[in-house]
Amino acid sequence: MDDPDVFVQRLLYQPALTRWSRLRPFPDTENPLEQALADLTPTQRTVLVLLHLEELTEFEVADILTMSHTAVHAQGLSAFERFRSAIAAGESR
């Protein structure tokens, strides 16, 4: 590995990411934030969490998820748009 930090991050994140992709988050929730997150695909949810909660760069996320930077960027944009739309729809109910 060129960067030991990325290697360690990948070791820490991969088991969690595998588990997340099989689970339906927030089953039977009425909370609009939780519902908005649950409506995202596992990849979108993962990218959104790593970018905004973990405050990683798109390049760091790409390394961890073994995706291209372009794919991370596209997933992040679509996830944020879907999340924002779901929140707006939840507030209007």
Side-chain angles (χ1 to χ4, degrees), residues 64-85:
I64 290 168
L65 300 179
T66 61
M67 297 171 67
S68 71
H69 167 258
T70 306
V72 170
H73 183 76
Q75 289 290 327
L77 285 177
S78 63
F80 187 71
E81 183 59 36
R82 280 182 68 181
F83 183 75
R84 191 171 66 184
S85 297

Side-chain angles (χ1 to χ4, degrees), residues 3 19 29 31 52:
D3 188 353
R19 230 174 308 137
T29 184
N31 183 323
H52 297 285

Side-chain angles (χ1 to χ4, degrees), residues 30-88:
E30 296 296 322
N31 183 323
L33 290 175
E34 291 175 348
Q35 186 60 46
L37 282 173
D39 290 342
L40 298 175
T41 68
T43 303
Q44 289 176 329
R45 196 169 37 253
T46 301
V47 168
L48 194 69
V49 166
L50 291 176
L51 287 174
H52 297 285
L53 293 179
E54 292 290 328
E55 297 179 351
L56 299 176
T57 66
E58 289 179 350
F59 290 103
E60 291 169 326
V61 174
D63 284 342
I64 290 168
L65 300 179
T66 61
M67 297 171 67
S68 71
H69 167 258
T70 306
V72 170
H73 183 76
Q75 289 290 327
L77 285 177
S78 63
F80 187 71
E81 183 59 36
R82 280 182 68 181
F83 183 75
R84 191 171 66 184
S85 297
I87 294 298

